[in-house]
Amino acid sequence: MSFFSDKALKELDEIKKRYPTRRAAALPALYVAQKEFGWLSPEAIDAVARHLTLPPAVVKGTATFYSMYKHRQVGRHLIQVCTNVSCMIFGAENLLGLLEEKYGVTPGGTSPDGRFSLVIMECIGACDKAPAMLVDEDFHSDLTRNGIINILESYK
Amino acid sequence: MEYLLRNIDSPNSAEITEYEKAGGYEGLKKALKIDPKDLIELVKKSGLRGRGGAGFPTGMKWMFASADPKFPKYLVCNADEGEPGTFKDRPILEKNPHLLIEGMAISAHALKSEKGYIYLRGEYPYAKTVLEKAIAQAYKRGYLGADILGSGIKFDLSVHQGAGAYICGEETALIDSIEGRRGQPRIKPPFPVSVGLFGKPTIVNNVETLSNLPFIVEVGAEAYSKIGNPECPGNKLFCISGHVAKPGVYELPMGTTLRDIIYGHAGGIKNGKALKAVIPGGISTPVFPPDKLDCPMDFVSVPKFGSMLGSGAVIVFDETTCLVRVTWRALKFFEHESCGKCTPCREGTGWLRTVLERIENGQGRPGDVELLEDISKNIAGKTLCPLGDGAASVVMNFIKHFRGEFEGHLKGGCTFNAPEFRQA
C-alpha cells in the first residue's frame, strides 16, 4: 500500500513528467509529501525516496538544505515574519515580542495550544510594505501593533 | 515609457485576454518568423544586459549556448529574487506573467530550446498560482507546446518552486536545486552555457531580462539601444524601500540618478528626516553616504562611484538608523544563507556576525573594528561564488564610510533608539 493518497500520486505522476531524471522531482515531491503529512517526518522522507527510487539519505540530504520545508511538526498555522533590514527598520523585531506576549510563541517554537508556530524569515520581497509576514500561504504587510493581532485572530 | 509594468494597474492584468488586448504575444508572432541566428544578432545589437545583478550582455551569453553543438538546450528563468531589498520581479510574476512567458518563448526559439523552467522562490506562493494559471492559458492559445502557433516550433515550460535558499539565486546552485540537490555553487568553468542543467547547455536569465524581449522584438534593436545609457540600454526596474515617502517599484531608464529616484520618484525622505545612507543595489552592494546621490544608476556608472547596480534594490536609511545594527542584520542573513561549501564564507560570516553582535550590545572590545576588517579581507576573493564577497564588502564599506559610528559603539554600546512599531 502506498503512503500517498490517490490524489497525491496523481500529482506526483504529473511532476515526474516535467523532468528527465527522477532526482529532479525531489523538491516538488517533498512539497507534495509535506502537504500530505503536515511535515517532513522520517516516514514522509522515506515515502518520497521510495516513490522516486532514490536512497533515503539522498532525499534527506536535499530536504534539510532548504529552510521552507517543515523539518518538525508545526502548529495549525505557520507564521513566518521577515526581520531582514527593510523590515527591521520598521520594527519587525517588536512584532516577535508581541507574539510571545499574546500567544506564547517564540521563534522556532509553537504556542502551547498548538495554534501557531513561528519562524523568522529572511527577505520575503515585500520591502516596500514592511514589516511583512506569511501566514501559511497568505501574505500580509504593513504590519502594525494592532494590525498583526487582528490578522492572526482570523486564523483559528 | 513603461513596457515592463505596462497595464499592471488593471485588475485583470494577469489574464491572457487582457494581455493580448494590449498587444501581447505580437512580439512572439514576429519573432517566430525570424531565423534563430538573426534573433540572437538582434539581441546582441540591442545591447541588453542581464538584470539579475551581474549585467552580462545577454546576446553574448545566448551566442555561447547557441554555438554549443549539444542538445537538448535548457532555458531557465531565474525568479529566485532573494537579495534583501529586492522585489522588482514580483509585479511581473504576479501581475504581468504573460510578458515573461512571451519573453521565454521568444528566447527559446532563438536558442532552439524545447524545455524551460521558471525557478520561483518558495516565498512567493501567490506568484506560483498566477504563473501556473498563465502557463495553462498560454498552452491553450498555442503560445506554448508542441507546435507554437503552427510554426512547428516546440517549447514546454513549467514552474520549479524553490524552498527558501538565497544561494539558489546563483545560477549553478539554482541548477543543482532543479536537479534535486542541495543548492551549492559549482566550480566554473565549465559554465552553464556549455555544461548546465542535466549536463546540457543551459541559459539562465533573470525575469526582468527575459521580460525585455517582447519589447526589443517589437521596436527593434536600434530603437531599444537608444533608451537610457547606450552602454547598457533599456528601462530598469528599481525597487525602493526604507525611509522614503513612497516606497515601491519604479520602471525608469537606465542611468536615472539616485537622487532622482529617491527625491523625484519615491517622494524623498519620510517625515522630513535627513538622509544618512543608501544601499543602491540590494544588501550585498557597497553602501553609499549621502554625497553619492548624483550617481547614474546603471551597470557602468555605479562601479565608478564605488558600488554596484546589483538588482536595483535601493534601501534608504534616515538619520535615526543605527548602521551597526543594519550591518549586524545583514551578516546574520549571510551567515544563515551561506551554503557551507567554502570555509572562508561558512566560518567567516559567523565570526563577523558574532563580533558585530557584541559591538551592538555594548560588549565590543578595543580592536574589534580592525578585527572585522581583517576577517572580511580573509573572505573576499577566497570563495567560489559572490556570497562571501558580498558579506565581506558589506562590512568593509559600512566601516569605510561610517567608521566613527562603529568606534562610538565600542565606548558603551548603541545609543540609537530601537525602531518603533510601524504606525498605521
Side-chain angles (χ1 to χ4, degrees), chain B residues 207-252:
Chain B
V207 173
E208 187 186 343
T209 313
L210 292 162
S211 299
N212 267 272
L213 288 153
F215 183 72
I216 292 174
V217 170
E218 186 186 320
V219 301
E222 209 191 318
Y224 182 85
S225 68
K226 287 182 181 145
I227 303 169
N229 183 336
E231 286 182 72
C232 48
N235 281 354
K236 175 83 194 83
L237 295 177
F238 293 101
C239 40
I240 310 165
S241 66
H243 298 124
V244 288
K246 291 189 287 176
V249 184
Y250 296 86
E251 179 179 349
L252 302 167

Side-chain angles (χ1 to χ4, degrees), chain A residues 19 24 27-28, chain B residues 117-120 158-162 177-179:
Chain A
Y19 304 97
L27 263 71
Chain B
Y117 298 95
I118 298 173
Y119 188 96
L120 179 69
S158 47
V159 176
H160 185 94
Q161 190 179 16
S177 183
I178 298 181
E179 290 181 355

Side-chain angles (χ1 to χ4, degrees), chain A:
Chain A
M1 198 186 80
S2 172
F3 208 63
F4 291 104
S5 65
D6 287 348
K7 186 173 167 260
L9 284 171
K10 218 176 135 197
E11 210 176 326
L12 288 168
D13 282 339
E14 283 303 310
I15 286 167
K16 283 187 282 183
K17 277 187 216 158
R18 293 183 217 146
Y19 304 97
T21 68
R22 295 188 313 275
R23 185 167 180 172
L27 263 71
L30 284 165
Y31 272 119
V32 172
Q34 177 169 289
K35 201 164 63 184
E36 192 91 333
F37 311 117
W39 67 293
L40 292 181
S41 62
E43 292 77 18
I45 299 255
D46 280 352
V48 170
R50 261 200 311 278
H51 188 84
L52 299 177
T53 56
L54 293 169
V58 163
V59 177
K60 189 169 186 181
T62 294
T64 51
F65 185 80
Y66 299 93
S67 62
M68 287 189 78
Y69 291 123
K70 296 168 188 165
H71 300 290
R72 57 182 187 283
Q73 247 168 323
V74 295
R76 290 197 296 285
H77 302 289
L78 180 64
I79 308 172
Q80 305 183 83
V81 177
C82 175
T83 63
N84 209 303
V85 170
S86 292
C87 283
M88 180 188 84
I89 60 175
F90 285 104
E93 289 160 322
N94 299 334
L95 298 173
L96 302 176
L98 193 63
L99 295 180
E100 183 175 3
E101 203 178 293
K102 174 87 185 167
Y103 300 110
V105 61
T106 51
T110 301
S111 60
D113 60 0
R115 183 175 173 193
F116 292 118
S117 291
L118 174 63
V119 172
I120 291 181
M121 281 294 263
E122 293 302 344
C123 189
I124 58 173
C127 321
D128 55 338
K129 302 183 187 76
M133 68 173 175
L134 279 164
V135 182
D136 303 329
E137 294 211 333
D138 310 329
F139 169 81
H140 301 282
S141 56
D142 292 309
L143 299 172
T144 61
R145 187 199 295 263
N146 297 327
I148 188 169
I149 300 300
N150 287 341
I151 290 164
L152 290 175
E153 280 306 295
S154 66
Y155 291 87
K156 293 300 174 192

Side-chain angles (χ1 to χ4, degrees), chain B residues 279-290:
Chain B
I279 293 175
I283 202 99
S284 308
T285 62
V287 65
F288 277 159

